[in-house]
Amino acid sequence: MNIRFLNCGTMRPYFPRIQNGVTCLLVETDQGPLLVDTGFGIRDYSSPTRSMSFFLSLMRSARDVKKTAFHQVQRLGFKPEDVKHIIQTHLHLDHAGGLPDFPHAKVHVLRAEYEHVMSHRSWEYRPEHWAHEPDWVLHKINGSRWYDFEGIKLTGFEPEIWLIPLPGHTPGHMAVAVKQGDDWVLHAGDSVPFDLKIDEVPAWLSRKVLGPHGPRIQTFMKAHPEVQVVGSHMSLSFYEKT
């Protein structure tokens, strides 16, 4: 079953001066196509709130509606209503904007993320992204392990999918691991810096902004070449090659 890497939100901020995308995965499963993160959505571009418009301007987003997950799913031969499951690494505004475009999908998040978002106001979270009252599926740690990480295996899915709690960037941030043949793809979300350049970000800054997991993921990558690790924000050339 295929795993496709989608760029669902090109950004070109003045600082740091890095042209990057928002990584979403489209995973073909036995329950239909599944999305990991949804990037910016149609409304974010067509009729953004004042806060979202300011963020898009700050990030110098291309605001290309054709790059939303909604349109990319169709370009790849699926119908938006075929997407019955969405996994969100977290619910920041650049990751969850596409949720309203798939109103019938079950949305999988860690319970810690959901409870934090619903009880705290922050510019980083936009209530309009879940105003349609999605069918939330809340997960919590249950003692299982994926490699040496705490993990939560999604039941009833082929290929195998695991949720890996990596709190820090947000209280309920997680990575998502998907089996691909004998190998794995690990969407590490915002626990890793742009283009996985862990050594180029000062440790204190990484801990403050991304959480404490970068060095551990770096060690894991070296020990397990069978696992392809991607971050939430990769260079534009990454998506062009995949």
Side-chain angles (χ1 to χ4, degrees):
M1 296 192 180
N2 290 328
I3 301 174
R4 294 180 172 90
F5 302 89
L6 310 180
N7 171 18
C8 295
T10 297
M11 297 184 285
R12 299 179 172 88
Y14 287 108
F15 182 81
R17 294 191 68 87
I18 51 175
Q19 298 188 24
N20 67 103
V22 179
T23 305
C24 298
L25 304 183
L26 181 65
V27 183
E28 294 183 37
T29 80
D30 60 349
Q31 298 193 40
L34 174 150
L35 282 169
V36 178
D37 281 357
T38 55
F40 295 124
I42 293 174
R43 179 182 172 182
D44 294 331
Y45 292 152
S46 63
S47 56
T49 61
R50 182 177 299 180
S51 296
M52 179 58 75
S53 182
F54 175 77
F55 181 80
L56 292 173
S57 297
L58 189 67
M59 293 294 105
R60 299 172 66 210
S61 171
R63 306 196 189 200
D64 184 355
V65 174
K66 293 181 180 179
K67 289 293 186 180
T68 60
F70 179 86
H71 285 287
Q72 293 199 61
V73 163
Q74 294 178 83
R75 178 177 58 81
L76 292 168
F78 303 101
K79 298 177 182 178
E81 56 267 30
D82 293 337
V83 178
K84 296 180 173 61
H85 294 272
I86 294 171
I87 303 172
Q88 288 289 153
T89 61
H90 60 304
L91 292 170
H92 275 170
L93 75 171
D94 53 333
H95 297 264
L99 288 178
D101 301 331
F102 304 92
H104 303 298
K106 294 181 181 294
V107 180
H108 299 257
V109 295
L110 289 187
R111 180 177 293 276
E113 182 74 357
Y114 176 84
E115 292 179 347
H116 174 77
V117 170
M118 298 305 162
S119 61
H120 293 78
R121 295 180 63 87
S122 169
W123 67 269
E124 296 174 298
Y125 300 105
R126 302 307 315 151
E128 65 267 19
H129 290 160
W130 40 86
H132 62 292
E133 299 184 351
D135 184 2
W136 299 102
V137 183
L138 308 182
H139 299 270
K140 60 181 180 180
I141 295 171
N142 58 19
S144 300
R145 302 194 76 82
W146 177 81
Y147 285 87
D148 59 345
F149 291 89
E150 289 185 309
I152 304 155
K153 184 179 180 181
L154 287 190
T155 58
F157 282 89
E158 178 65 36
E160 199 171 327
I161 301 174
W162 286 75
L163 314 180
I164 316 297
L166 296 176
H169 180 64
T170 70
H173 180 277
M174 64 178 171
V176 180
V178 183
K179 196 87 160 64
Q180 189 173 42
D182 295 328
D183 300 327
W184 291 86
V185 171
L186 178 68
H187 188 321
D190 275 335
S191 65
V192 292
F194 166 71
D195 259 358
L196 305 176
K197 296 179 179 179
I198 296 169
D199 289 333
E200 297 183 17
V201 180
W204 67 269
L205 180 61
S206 182
R207 286 194 300 270
K208 182 176 179 62
V209 177
L210 304 176
H213 307 286
R216 183 184 181 190
I217 291 173
Q218 185 178 50
T219 300
F220 176 80
M221 289 167 58
K222 293 176 180 177
H224 297 283
E226 76 279 10
V227 181
Q228 180 184 4
V229 180
V230 300
S232 282
H233 301 286
M234 306 292 286
S235 61
L236 300 183
S237 60
F238 167 80
Y239 307 103
E240 295 166 359
K241 291 184 295 185
T242 57

